[in-house]
Amino acid sequence: MDETIRGVLAFVGFRTQDAVELNDLAPGTHVAGRLPRQWYIEHVLAEGVLGLIAAIRSSSTDSDPAAGDSAEGRDRLTGRGVLIVQEGQYLLPDDDRQELARVLRRLAEAMYGQDMACRGPWEADRSLLDLPDELCLATRAPLIVTGTPATRRELLAAAYVALLGSIELAEADLIDDEHAARITEAWTGTLRRRLEQVPDEDRQELVRLFRQAAREESDPGGKAFAAGFQKVIGVVEEGG
């Protein structure tokens, strides 16, 4: 229970620590203060990456399985986003790589806690708790690591756009149109709400990260989607 409480507090921007670290006779959770504002940008991106992967993998249909939403198809849809995080972490300094894992674990626990509160312990998506290890414990380093060292936010932004692009460009044999639209609408809507809660400079920083992800996109179809992504979420970059 304490772990769930800590996860929920971290989800809304508080820094916590175990109370027994301060006083052996005071079990529970101590709120140590607010996290720095820059943390929120990383939080928004990590939430989207985890949420999109979980939503795609948990989608199902009662119609003919041949019409889409097969397990193999869902894995193909999430594969590129997962690979971006797995291989991209090798561009990060060791401290950043470890912090990325911590951020994803805290957020996954918080998202699972919220899902459990909304849907109950039997319906909550426990796969969320396994995602951080899958994303951060790559089976191998990429054969060739090129480019300048990425930041955690750049890495997450690239994965976020790739996941949404995979849904947008998916063939019907991977996921049916209804489920694709539902996932896209849910997570672009969540992103719009998050953008409404941040100062203008943070909003513009998020847009900048998405535009950079578009510039570095190598897949032609994905690049076209990424280039128009800021219009999808209803924001533009200052001076752009």
Side-chain angles (χ1 to χ4, degrees), residues 185-199:
E185 289 171 7
W187 282 100
T188 54
T190 296
L191 181 56
R192 289 191 196 100
R193 290 193 297 275
R194 298 292 185 253
L195 288 168
E196 290 170 358
Q197 299 167 3
V198 301

Side-chain angles (χ1 to χ4, degrees), residues 10 18 34 50-51 72 74 93 101 108 112 172-173 190 192 218 235:
D18 197 325
R34 298 287 299 190
L50 291 169
E72 180 183 358
R74 294 193 295 271
Y112 174 70
D173 62 337
T190 296
R192 289 191 196 100
S218 57
V235 293

Side-chain angles (χ1 to χ4, degrees), residues 91-93 96 148-156 208-209:
L91 296 173
L92 299 175
D96 276 359
T148 57
T151 67
R152 300 193 303 269
R153 290 183 291 182
E154 290 168 349
L155 183 59
L156 291 168
R208 185 196 69 77
L209 289 166

Side-chain angles (χ1 to χ4, degrees), residues 23-186:
N23 184 340
D24 289 343
L25 301 179
T29 298
H30 172 71
V31 177
R34 298 287 299 190
L35 289 161
R37 203 186 72 205
Q38 293 84 353
W39 169 88
Y40 190 74
I41 296 175
E42 189 170 349
H43 159 277
V44 170
L45 297 170
E47 177 191 32
V49 169
L50 291 169
L52 281 165
I53 294 172
I56 293 168
R57 289 181 175 177
S58 64
S59 67
S60 61
T61 181
D62 294 328
S63 61
D64 182 355
D69 279 341
S70 69
E72 180 183 358
R74 294 193 295 271
D75 286 343
R76 286 171 60 189
L77 283 175
T78 59
R80 191 157 179 269
V82 170
L83 191 64
I84 285 172
V85 179
Q86 286 180 337
E87 295 197 345
Q89 67 181 304
Y90 289 97
L91 296 173
L92 299 175
D94 287 343
D95 288 348
D96 276 359
R97 194 182 310 162
Q98 294 168 12
E99 180 59 20
L100 175 64
R102 285 192 290 267
V103 167
L104 290 170
R105 288 191 184 102
R106 287 197 302 263
L107 192 51
E109 289 165 0
M111 292 171 72
Y112 174 70
Q114 287 196 337
D115 195 27
M116 189 165 56
C118 291
R119 300 198 296 164
W122 304 113
E123 297 295 327
D125 185 2
R126 288 194 60 86
S127 69
L128 276 165
L129 299 177
D130 299 325
L131 277 179
D133 284 343
E134 178 183 355
L135 290 168
C136 294
L137 298 180
T139 55
R140 62 173 178 83
L143 296 177
I144 301 175
V145 177
T146 61
T148 57
T151 67
R152 300 193 303 269
R153 290 183 291 182
E154 290 168 349
L155 183 59
L156 291 168
Y160 198 126
V161 174
L163 286 163
L164 276 173
S166 294
I167 299 172
E168 180 71 16
L169 302 169
E171 299 291 340
D173 62 337
L174 296 183
I175 186 170
D176 71 30
D177 291 343
E178 181 182 349
H179 288 147
R182 186 183 306 140
I183 293 169
T184 299
E185 289 171 7

